[in-house]
Amino acid sequence: MKQRLQKILAQAGIASRRGSEQLIKAGRIRVNGMLVGEMGTKVDPMIDIITFDGQRIDIEEKKTVLVNKPPGYVTTLSDPQGRLVVADLVADIPLRLFPVGRLDFDTEGALLMTNDGELAERILHPRYEVKKTYQAEVRGIPSRPQLLRLEQGVIIDGSQTWPAAIRILQQRQDRSLIEIVIHEGKKRQVRKMFQAIGHRVLHLKRTAYGDLRLGDLASGKYRVLGHTDIKKIFSGKIPFTIRNIPA
Ligand code: URA
């Protein structure tokens, strides 16, 4: 899509829009090898080659998608063992999207993929406490004290987890389906948290980042996110009020 050159330069972090205008006026910016005469010139960053003092500026349109990762996919761009990788799920997008954080090989559900490094950093930075919601099917029926321990934090890999929000979704004789909301992202965290209270996770699905829900997105499919969706990732704190642990 064609956009004003100074806007593209500003988005690429070269200078502010005004600063970019100065660079254009000073003849330091070329498009397809040509000096730019007019200030309002529009160019297509996907097609046109823009240079600053002779150096090519790499400008990619920013795109973020929500993928419903099926189990059996590795959260990487390529795999030396030839297993299926999440990059395969967005192969029709002509951009290098990388996963934001990871889901285990056997975990399914919401996975963000983007080419926006700044956004990825914000989502992963502990300061923003982006909450992630999981549905864990676990063996057996955890007791009230066990679930309260999970809520308050358990020790995994030598350190205490932050408080979590727990909601029981279903209980059968030998299995429970439990929703857990956390804002950390330690390796295999949810599985290890349940292991710490003695209940093995049989099946794990991430259903939301913040208030951005997977909804009815089919397994293996993605949807492109807009500004409103991206804001939802950061909205909401851990909802401690959802707890319905029976007395
Ligand atoms: N916690 C896990 O145990 N596995 C995941 O894939 C994500 C969170």
Side-chain angles (χ1 to χ4, degrees):
M1 195 183 59
K2 283 197 166 194
Q3 296 174 60
R4 282 171 172 260
L5 182 55
Q6 56 268 51
K7 183 176 174 193
I8 294 172
L9 293 171
Q11 278 174 351
I14 302 299
S16 65
R17 275 200 207 187
R18 191 153 303 159
S20 300
E21 287 176 5
Q22 301 302 327
L23 293 175
I24 296 169
K25 276 192 197 140
R28 298 176 69 186
I29 306 292
R30 284 174 185 254
V31 177
N32 302 325
M34 313 277 281
L35 276 175
V36 184
E38 278 175 54
M39 203 41 69
T41 302
K42 288 191 169 179
V43 297
D44 187 335
M46 296 296 285
I47 297 168
D48 297 309
I49 295 170
I50 306 168
T51 55
F52 170 33
D53 286 347
Q55 293 276 335
R56 186 165 179 180
I57 299 172
D58 191 13
I59 301 162
E60 261 195 355
E61 175 199 352
K62 298 283 183 256
K63 193 165 255 185
T64 302
V65 299
L66 177 67
V67 182
N68 186 351
K69 175 196 170 301
Y73 276 72
V74 191
T75 309
T76 53
L77 298 183
S78 65
D79 181 54
Q81 295 173 44
R83 291 173 296 178
L84 294 166
V85 292
V86 292
D88 300 341
L89 301 169
V90 293
D92 61 336
I93 300 177
L95 295 170
R96 263 182 73 84
L97 302 188
F98 55 88
V100 182
R102 60 188 294 285
L103 281 180
D104 301 332
F105 182 73
D106 41 357
T107 301
E108 63 175 308
L111 178 70
L112 291 170
M113 294 188 71
T114 189
N115 60 349
D116 186 339
E118 254 174 64
L119 176 67
E121 229 170 86
R122 276 181 63 209
I123 294 170
L124 296 174
H125 198 288
R127 170 151 49 107
Y128 295 99
E129 298 191 358
V130 169
K131 63 185 167 73
K132 283 149 281 188
T133 305
Y134 297 86
Q135 286 185 3
E137 189 187 14
V138 304
R139 179 158 296 176
I141 299 194
S143 66
R144 177 182 162 81
Q146 283 175 322
L147 291 174
L148 291 177
R149 266 184 64 210
L150 259 196
E151 266 201 346
Q152 281 151 14
V154 289
I155 306 285
I156 62 167
D157 299 332
S159 66
Q160 170 119 4
T161 58
W162 281 84
I166 306 287
R167 183 161 68 142
I168 300 162
L169 298 178
Q170 256 177 44
Q171 280 184 333
R172 276 186 266 131
Q173 271 165 346
D174 59 342
R175 280 175 196 201
S176 310
L177 185 64
I178 294 173
E179 185 168 80
I180 175 164
V181 187
I182 57 173
H183 66 71
E184 294 168 285
K186 293 186 175 142
K187 206 166 174 217
R188 295 182 79 80
Q189 175 154 349
V190 174
R191 292 173 196 275
K192 286 179 181 169
M193 285 175 78
F194 278 99
Q195 212 171 326
I197 61 157
H199 288 270
R200 198 157 81 82
V201 171
L202 304 169
H203 181 233
L204 187 62
K205 180 174 186 173
R206 180 155 64 202
T207 56
Y209 280 85
D211 287 337
L212 180 72
R213 310 217 131 254
L214 199 53
D216 55 9
L217 184 65
S219 180
K221 299 286 181 208
Y222 68 81
R223 98 178 158 79
V224 177
L225 301 183
H227 284 301
T228 319
D229 296 309
I230 289 174
K231 268 168 77 180
K232 282 186 186 169
I233 297 172
F234 297 95
S235 65
K237 290 280 165 212
I238 288 204
F240 287 101
T241 49
I242 67 171
R243 145 212 306 223
N244 68 340
I245 301 170

